[in-house]
Amino acid sequence: MSNGNFIKGQGAQRNVINRFDRYTYEPDDEDFETMKTSFTEVFPKTIVNQVKSEDLPMEYSMNPYQGCEHGCSYCFARPTHEYWGYSAGIDFERKIMVKKNAPELLEKFFRKRGYQAAPILLSGNTDCYQPAERQFEITRKLLQLCLDYRHPVNILTKNALVLRDLDILKPMAEKNLVSVSLSIPTINEELRRKMEPRTSSAINKLKAIEVLSENNIPVHVMVAPIIPGLNSDEPLTILKAISDAGALGFGYTLVRLNDTVEPVFVNWIETHFPDRAQKVLNLIRSMRGGKLGDKRYFERQRGEGNIAEMIHTTFKVGRKKFFEGKEFPKLTTANFTGTLDQQLRLFD
């Protein structure tokens, strides 16, 4: 901010110019300080998206919210807010669009003639358990439909609010219909408050792994993103902690700052870590061919250079040390019929 202060609980410290707008309006610092989160109902025609990226493992995703209050400066979804006429900066965190008709759309999708069931990723863009979910409960309604129709779903979230829905998740897990992936980029709570200011604490995320595992709900962890010079010294510590808590598997990504994510992140790191901002940015460039972002399929996941290779080696060691012998289950599509018919089938 211009006065040298920063907005607490906020990832972006300002709006950035929307790539698609000819003109832009930047409120005063005081306006940002007093700006409250607003919720706008939108009316999409579909809720399930077919994932066409060649280097992503899922076939479908669905997102009940557009924009996210969690406030992660590095969030790859920020540029999607620009398609709605907003900024990828503060607007992304303060102007949340709510898809209240999502359950109706999901049921319509399940009933499509000829649909062959495949696990749907619940989130994939913005967090399905962000704070707005406490009020709107759209994610809960979507999960109830998945249980009713016996359709598999993978949940990805940074929020321990997922435990609220144990009453739905437990019967889903009994039918091998659900898994939960928690995003844990750090277990350093001081760093967590800066990296993802409105997510659950690291302690609460680890506790969520324990509770979910105790209820036989398979848990996976995304250690993401790894930012060299910030959390790149934590992978082994995190892997031990999540394994001890009951996680059955993990994945990770290297930070990449595409499009308007770049100015948001640069402003964020210069605000919170002015003494090492340039070092971190240069380390990221060393993994991204001299740039801060990378859109190339497969290459964007792996990165390049010595720093990237060191990170890959560390995770390889951690997998062998803390996850050897653990196996993450594959969800079943066998019980989905596209109807609410609850008659027992021979293989139930």
Side-chain angles (χ1 to χ4, degrees), residues 91-162:
D91 283 353
F92 180 76
E93 302 171 42
R94 298 289 184 94
K95 299 182 184 297
I96 309 300
M97 282 161 280
V98 181
K99 305 172 185 177
K100 293 183 180 179
N101 67 338
E104 174 189 338
L105 294 173
L106 180 60
E107 187 162 22
K108 183 179 179 181
F109 180 80
F110 283 164
R111 290 178 172 271
K112 284 175 59 176
R113 184 184 299 273
Y115 168 61
Q116 298 294 313
I120 296 174
L121 176 64
L122 184 48
S123 285
N125 193 29
T126 57
D127 203 306
C128 62
Y129 277 108
Q130 61 177 283
E133 172 62 15
R134 293 186 182 277
Q135 175 181 346
F136 296 105
E137 297 191 348
I138 301 173
T139 296
R140 181 176 175 83
K141 294 170 184 174
L142 293 173
L143 289 174
Q144 183 63 60
L145 273 172
C146 288
L147 174 59
D148 292 344
Y149 277 86
R150 303 169 300 286
H151 192 285
V153 61
N154 297 300
I155 299 168
L156 174 60
T157 182
K158 289 175 173 281
N159 205 314
L161 179 59
V162 64

Side-chain angles (χ1 to χ4, degrees), residues 10 81 206 221 224 242 269 281 304 321 340:
Q10 190 78 38
H81 228 47
L206 292 174
V221 171
I242 64 176
I269 198 165
L281 293 173
E304 60 184 60
K321 186 171 183 178
L340 287 173

Side-chain angles (χ1 to χ4, degrees), residues 246-260:
L248 297 177
F250 71 89
Y252 67 98
T253 62
L254 307 181
V255 68
R256 61 180 185 271
L257 308 172
N258 291 340
D259 299 321
T260 39

Side-chain angles (χ1 to χ4, degrees), residues 148-266:
D148 292 344
Y149 277 86
R150 303 169 300 286
H151 192 285
V153 61
N154 297 300
I155 299 168
L156 174 60
T157 182
K158 289 175 173 281
N159 205 314
L161 179 59
V162 64
L163 295 180
R164 179 201 63 187
D165 296 331
L166 274 176
D167 60 319
I168 300 176
L169 298 177
K170 288 171 67 175
M172 289 188 74
E174 290 171 1
K175 298 179 181 295
N176 194 23
L177 293 174
V178 70
S179 70
V180 175
S181 185
L182 280 164
S183 176
I184 304 180
T186 178
I187 55 175
N188 177 329
E189 186 56 21
E190 182 180 354
L191 179 58
R192 197 279 312 167
R193 285 194 294 267
K194 294 176 180 178
M195 283 183 65
E196 38 179 36
R198 298 192 68 192
T199 66
S200 298
S201 68
I203 291 176
N204 284 342
K205 288 183 186 181
L206 292 174
K207 182 62 179 177
I209 295 175
E210 292 179 1
V211 173
L212 291 166
S213 299
E214 288 168 358
N215 285 278
N216 298 313
I217 298 164
V219 182
H220 176 275
V221 171
M222 281 300 297
V223 188
I226 296 298
I227 305 173
L230 278 188
N231 64 342
S232 53
D233 61 337
E234 288 194 71
L236 293 181
T237 304
I238 295 173
L239 295 185
K240 183 181 187 306
I242 64 176
S243 179
D244 289 347
L248 297 177
F250 71 89
Y252 67 98
T253 62
L254 307 181
V255 68
R256 61 180 185 271
L257 308 172
N258 291 340
D259 299 321
T260 39
V261 181
E262 179 178 327
V264 173
F265 181 88
V266 170

Side-chain angles (χ1 to χ4, degrees), residues 260-289:
T260 39
V261 181
E262 179 178 327
V264 173
F265 181 88
V266 170
N267 180 253
W268 172 83
I269 198 165
E270 289 177 345
T271 299
H272 289 280
F273 301 97
D275 57 330
R276 50 176 156 160
Q278 290 308 310
K279 177 182 177 181
V280 170
L281 293 173
N282 286 335
L283 288 172
I284 296 173
R285 291 187 182 99
S286 77
M287 302 191 305
R288 299 297 180 192

